[in-house]
Structures are given as C-alpha cells and as structure tokens.
Amino acid sequence: MTELTTKLTSLRLLLDRHPAEAILLRRVSSFAWATGGVASYVNTATTEGAASLIITRNKRYIATNNIEAPRLQEEENLAEKGWDFIISPWTAPLKGLNELLTGITFLSDVPFGNGKDISTEISRLRAHLSSEEGQRLRELGKLCADSITAAAHAVQPGMTEFEIAALLGEEAQRRGIQPIVNLVATDRRSYRHPLPSAKKLEKYALLVLSGRQRGLVCSVSRMVHFGKVPAELERRIHAAVQVNAAFIAHSRPGMTLGALLEIGQAAYAEAGYPFEWQNHHQGGVVGYEPREYIATPGGADILAAGQALAWNPTVAGAKMEDTILLGEDGNMILTPTPDWPMEQVELPGLPPVLCPLVLVR
C-alpha cells in the first residue's frame, strides 16, 4: 500500500493547490498509475477507459458499468484494496459518475463536464516513478528488448512490413506485452512514423516498439540489414549514434529538458546534420505513456533520479531509441540487446555510452 498511499497523498495535495473537492482520472494511463497497473480499457487504442477514478479528501471511488465491475472487483481485487464502486448500467455508463460529480468542484485529467483540466500536472505525477515502478519498468525493458531481438532475427527479405510488424507484435504478446506502437520501415522508406505497409523488405528494415505492461510503457528501436551496409547509411547511423550518446550521457538529475535538447542540437551539428532535429521530436520522459512529455526548446522540466527517458534521434532512415532509468550514480539502459553490434562512445568527462548499430545478416 505504500505506493498507493504516496500517490493518493500527491493527488490530494492538488485539491489544496487549486482548490477543489475531487479529482477525476479517466485516462487509461492515469487509472493504471493510481491502481498499481490495473487496466481500465477494453479497446487498447482508447485514451479514456471504461472505468474512472474519483478521489476526494477522505474517499476514493471507481465509477464503471456493470460489464467491467466484476473483473475489477474479482480479478483485480480493487474493492478489497479500499476502492468504493459506483456501478451504472451499460445503457447509461456515466450515470453514477455524473451524479457523484454534480454540484462539486473537481479537477480532471481530461476535459470533462465542468472539471478543471490539470492533465499537465497529472502527467508530471505519473512520470515520477516509485522504486516499485522502477523495478517493473526494468523488467518490462528486458522483455521489450528480447521481443525486438527475436523479431529482428526472424525477418527475411521478401516479407512485407505488415508481416514484420506481425512478427514483432507476436514476440511482444507472447511475453505479456501490448505492442501499442509497432512501426516498420523497409529500405528507402524513411518516414519518422512509418506505419507498416504492404511494401516488401529488400535489404534494410527499421523496427520500432513501444510495449505496455501493467500500465508502464517502454520504447526501443533497432535496425537490420541484409548484406553490406551502404556507406551513406553507415554515415547516418554513426551520426545518430553520436547524438544518442550525447543525450543519454547528459541526462542526469538536475538537468532540464530544454538544456538537453540544446546538447542534442549541438551533437547533430557536430555530426554533420545540423537541421535533422527539426524533423522529429527527440524524445523525453516516459512512464505510463510512450512519452509523458517531450523535450522542447526552453523546456524547464527538471529531471530527477528514478525518472525514465526515451530518446529517439533520427537521421533520415537511421534511428536510435532505448529507454533509460536515471539513478543517483548513473543511468541504466533498460532495453539492452547484447547480441547486437554496438559502438562505445566516449564523451569528455562522462561515462561511455554503448549504442546499438545495425544488425547485419
């Protein structure tokens, strides 16, 4: 209960700060965060779940319909953990929730009725991971790394991107992970968000996975090439490696995301690609969303030990992405792929960083 108690305390401090009488949490990510990883969705692509949490100064409720209530009560044991259920018929699923919120001032993590939207503050709470969450994220990181490794070793020339995505999704699902982001680009297809298509693999594939388990999300990307890697692609991969290492090495408690973005911009320029950072966001803090918030110019968010980040520098077809956990004494890469060719990057006055290269098959 320590994790839950800490989170309830943080939420109730928001009631005093604004002030208000209750907080409504409808986002799937917020529900999972506040319940220790319980799923409130039916449709895995939805933002708002089929159950909501309402926290007041002295009570806490789950408002849901008569379809979802039995699973949440019996399998997830949320009633035993002190949550009072407000159950509405599926024909009017928000009836009980609306009745509870009528006539009171409340805060919300999504636009809802007369509630005050505090989604930004809630995302910051979700991003400060407890030690228990850090351990769960470490376990998830290994599973995501194993999934993408297995898929990369299974792809073959002639496969469509759909088939490659199916391989990656299967490897994730068999490990109990939901592949909520599953992107594939082959050969000359260099979009930053390459939704899988019917295009067939000739020699080169980029695989991208964001996997979710118990609400937490971990992201990793890897590249595979059949035969000798062209010199131009090698240059782009090497440039992305330099930027990636700069981001990871400098991501320490006390740094701001804005300062880290400037470091990344300088690394792009030094690698010979000064404008590539403008073509895609560079990543940011992770937790119960693939990115709880990203690094933007001048961003004032200050990093703290225990937080996790995923940087994703790209150079037109070459992409780096790992999830890292910030510790007091150093960073841990949560998505290592030991069977992958790696480059160790040495940065002045900073620990070396191991970055994945392209897997040549």
Side-chain angles (χ1 to χ4, degrees):
M1 294 294 290
T2 302
E3 182 182 335
L4 172 60
T5 301
T6 300
K7 291 174 179 178
L8 290 174
T9 299
S10 298
L11 289 168
R12 285 168 173 151
L13 287 174
L14 292 177
L15 295 178
D16 296 330
R17 187 180 306 162
H18 280 280
E21 298 167 82
I23 293 179
L24 170 65
L25 301 178
R26 284 184 54 79
R27 292 185 71 94
V28 167
S29 53
S30 298
F31 191 101
W33 168 75
T35 58
V38 176
S40 63
Y41 55 82
V42 177
N43 175 355
T44 59
T46 192
T47 299
E48 298 177 26
S52 302
L53 304 178
I54 306 95
I55 295 95
T56 68
R57 283 181 171 78
N58 50 28
K59 290 188 176 182
R60 46 191 170 98
Y61 304 92
I62 292 177
T64 188
N65 58 55
N66 63 311
I67 303 173
E68 303 309 313
R71 177 181 66 84
L72 297 173
Q73 292 172 322
E74 297 164 12
E75 285 193 341
E76 301 294 353
N77 300 314
L78 291 181
E80 291 183 11
K81 294 176 181 177
W83 294 93
D84 293 328
F85 274 73
I86 301 171
I87 303 173
S88 300
W90 64 264
T91 53
L94 297 180
K95 181 176 182 292
L97 176 61
N98 286 328
E99 289 176 352
L100 180 64
L101 296 176
T102 297
I104 68 172
T105 57
F106 67 95
L107 315 172
S108 179
D109 66 341
V110 296
F112 188 88
N114 295 322
K116 181 179 180 180
D117 185 348
I118 58 164
S119 54
T120 297
E121 291 174 78
I122 297 297
S123 71
R124 269 59 182 178
L125 290 182
R126 292 195 305 259
H128 283 273
L129 305 179
S130 66
S131 59
E132 295 91 344
E133 289 168 310
Q135 178 58 35
R136 295 200 291 269
L137 192 63
R138 284 192 287 272
E139 295 167 1
L140 173 58
K142 184 180 185 307
L143 293 174
C144 287
D146 291 346
S147 298
I148 206 165
T149 298
H153 281 282
V155 301
Q156 295 293 337
M159 285 184 173
T160 67
E161 292 175 351
F162 289 137
E163 291 173 313
I164 297 170
L167 280 175
L168 182 54
E170 179 186 4
E171 293 296 344
Q173 292 278 11
R174 73 165 66 248
R175 291 171 173 81
I177 301 167
Q178 286 185 331
I180 60 174
V181 176
N182 185 348
L183 306 178
V184 178
T186 58
D187 300 290
R188 294 159 297 281
R189 193 163 175 260
S190 59
Y191 301 109
R192 265 55 180 190
H193 290 157
L195 299 178
S197 74
K199 185 179 180 302
K200 291 185 177 181
L201 167 64
E202 298 171 26
K203 292 186 176 182
Y204 177 57
L206 168 68
L207 284 67
V208 180
L209 172 67
S210 289
R212 180 169 66 187
Q213 186 181 69
R214 293 185 66 185
L216 290 165
V217 182
C218 192
S219 297
V220 58
S221 295
R222 292 294 186 267
M223 300 167 289
V224 184
H225 196 279
F226 291 84
K228 182 176 174 57
V229 180
E232 177 57 28
L233 180 57
E234 287 273 20
R235 282 193 292 272
R236 294 181 181 192
I237 292 171
H238 180 72
V241 162
Q242 301 306 308
V243 178
N244 191 47
F247 274 131
I248 291 176
H250 287 92
S251 295
R252 300 297 300 134
M255 288 289 289
T256 66
L257 288 180
L260 285 166
L261 182 58
E262 290 180 1
I263 289 170
Q265 291 167 337
Y268 272 111
E270 186 174 349
Y273 296 89
F275 304 111
E276 278 291 314
W277 71 272
Q278 298 177 1
N279 296 322
H280 189 270
H281 75 75
Q282 299 302 298
V285 178
V286 305
Y288 289 80
E289 300 280 358
R291 301 293 185 275
E292 292 286 4
Y293 43 94
I294 63 174
T296 55
D301 284 286
I302 300 173
L303 297 180
Q307 286 192 300
L309 295 96
W311 297 109
N312 47 257
T314 59
V315 182
K319 181 179 182 180
M320 299 286 121
E321 185 177 32
D322 278 299
T323 301
I324 66 173
L325 187 65
L326 306 190
E328 293 286 357
D329 301 319
N331 298 334
M332 176 186 293
I333 294 177
L334 303 182
T335 46
T337 46
D339 295 335
W340 225 267
M342 308 291 287
E343 179 177 340
Q344 180 167 294
V345 181
E346 305 283 347
L347 297 170
L350 294 169
V353 179
L354 278 175
C355 295
L357 300 173
V358 61
L359 177 67
V360 178
R361 292 182 51 202

